[in-house]
Amino acid sequence: MRYSLRQIEVFVAVARHESVSRAAEELSLSQSATSTALAELERLYDTQLFDRFGKSLRINELGQALLPQAVELIERAAAIASVLEGRAGYGRLRIGATLTIGNYLATLVVADFLKRHPEGTLQLKVENTSTIVAQVARHELDLGLIEGTCRHPDLIVEPWVADELVVFCAPTHPLAKEGRATLMELTREAWIVREPGSGTRETLDQALRHHHSALNIRLELEHTEAIKRAVEFDLGIACISRLALREAFRRGSLVAIETPELDLRRHFHFLWHHRKFQTAGMREFIGLCRTMTAGIERSDQIEWPVIP
């Protein structure tokens, strides 16, 4: 075996950032040492793993084929080091979650994970579904928790828990008194929606596609909390997860509108690369997620801890 683990680490970091300088920063190496390690790896096998465009690097087809195996090698090496050093093996874990999951569920699991395994470290990134899918595919994240669908051929998708969107309005809105609306009534209203690429927007669009009805979209926002505030100010009606609205419905600051003509059901999913080595930390995190949702039918039925 002619290559070194350090050379493989450099290759993975450069592939992740498509930048020698940012890879050097991640690995706490000088830029010169990082460039030398990559050049030596390519020289040893008389090949190129990146296409060069001036100072820019872009991973090529051979590099893409090598990347999953290189990531797996590094992670297995880290697991071996943990065993040899007498540690539990819950090292650094990179989790990506979409907004509803990230804001209302993932933080609970993160807190539980870190309490159980104080030796571990965890990074949680909250983005929309399309961004999480892309980052898992590029090995920038170990695990994704998404609300939307994923059809990426390199990714494994497993269902987690059922979820449901609900249309809602301010208590002063005319639809609040009825508590339900036909599709025709909904199309007459001003709407506040999530941005394209989000799982919430995808579910709403899919439900409407069967009816060939267009909404009067007044405002697009990237955060569920911003949408809730906008509806409270009576700027329009909206549709997000019941999970995100549970407390607002309890307080009466927002009102649910039942929509029998729309199927707004969906699932939350786990997502990881099919070549990804499942570390002990990944398995533990997924296990804690499943424990939290055991015995419930829908996400908004999850018991939240009481904060004194």
Side-chain angles (χ1 to χ4, degrees):
M1 188 171 64
R2 289 178 285 172
Y3 61 83
S4 69
L5 192 58
R6 172 58 81 187
Q7 289 169 340
I8 298 299
E9 285 181 320
V10 166
F11 161 68
V12 170
V14 173
R16 183 177 295 133
H17 299 289
E18 294 192 332
S19 165
V20 171
S21 60
R22 290 201 295 271
E25 184 177 347
E26 176 188 319
L27 298 171
S28 299
L29 295 173
S30 68
Q31 190 167 333
S32 174
T34 304
S35 294
T36 299
L38 179 60
E40 181 64 13
L41 177 63
E42 292 180 320
R43 187 195 64 78
L44 283 170
Y45 294 93
D46 190 25
T47 191
Q48 278 192 217
L49 301 169
F50 297 88
D51 294 326
R52 273 76 171 174
F53 303 95
K55 293 184 178 180
S56 300
L57 293 174
R58 184 165 300 168
I59 191 167
N60 61 24
E61 187 175 353
L62 178 60
Q64 290 281 9
L66 174 62
L67 183 58
Q69 299 174 65
V71 171
E72 180 178 353
L73 175 62
I74 292 170
E75 289 170 343
R76 287 187 181 275
I80 290 171
S82 295
V83 173
L84 292 173
E85 293 167 6
R87 293 185 280 114
Y90 300 118
R92 181 169 178 261
L93 192 58
R94 300 166 303 165
I95 305 292
T98 45
L99 266 71
T100 302
I101 297 174
N103 289 333
Y104 300 97
L105 298 183
T107 49
L108 300 178
V109 183
V110 167
D112 191 15
F113 181 93
L114 292 177
K115 286 177 182 176
R116 292 169 183 262
H117 310 291
E119 79 289 344
T121 59
L122 198 148
Q123 177 190 38
L124 175 64
K125 297 188 72 173
V126 180
E127 303 282 355
N128 67 24
T129 294
S130 60
T131 301
I132 296 297
V133 168
Q135 291 178 339
V136 173
R138 294 195 300 264
H139 301 278
E140 295 172 11
L141 296 171
D142 300 312
L143 177 68
L145 310 174
I146 65 169
E147 303 157 40
T149 57
C150 171
R151 300 178 182 85
H152 197 291
D154 295 334
L155 303 184
I156 293 173
V157 182
E158 281 195 3
W160 176 18
V161 65
D163 184 56
E164 185 179 44
L165 305 188
V166 60
V167 178
F168 63 101
C169 64
T172 55
H173 193 282
L175 290 176
K177 185 177 180 180
E178 289 294 323
R180 62 192 292 119
T182 65
L183 191 59
M184 184 63 68
E185 288 173 319
L186 294 177
T187 57
R188 297 193 194 109
E189 299 295 331
W191 276 78
I192 302 159
V193 297
R194 283 289 307 277
E195 80 287 359
S198 72
T200 296
R201 179 67 175 272
E202 178 188 37
T203 302
L204 178 60
D205 287 348
Q206 186 66 30
L208 290 165
R209 193 172 294 125
H210 299 305
H211 299 280
H212 307 288
S213 299
L215 299 183
N216 172 24
I217 296 175
R218 184 180 190 185
L219 183 61
E220 285 186 355
L221 295 170
E222 294 185 356
H223 297 282
T224 55
E225 290 302 310
I227 290 175
K228 287 159 65 177
R229 297 292 85 79
V231 174
E232 286 176 342
F233 292 142
D234 213 4
L235 297 180
I237 65 174
C239 179
I240 60 176
S241 171
R242 286 186 184 272
L243 173 66
L245 291 160
R246 188 163 63 174
E247 289 303 306
F249 287 164
R250 182 184 62 80
R251 293 193 308 267
S253 60
L254 293 169
V255 177
I257 305 170
E258 297 306 317
T259 54
E261 294 173 84
L262 295 181
D263 182 2
L264 297 172
R265 294 171 297 175
R266 64 178 182 179
H267 262 81
F268 294 159
H269 293 90
F270 299 112
L271 185 72
W272 64 86
H273 200 285
H274 77 100
R275 297 297 299 270
K276 169 73 181 171
F277 169 60
Q278 283 212 12
T279 63
M282 279 181 65
R283 294 193 298 272
E284 173 73 355
F285 193 89
I286 292 172
L288 292 176
C289 288
R290 293 201 184 280
T291 297
M292 181 174 66
T293 57
I296 68 162
E297 295 183 357
R298 204 172 60 200
S299 66
D300 58 301
Q301 298 169 352
I302 294 170
E303 292 286 338
W304 287 0
V306 176
I307 300 175

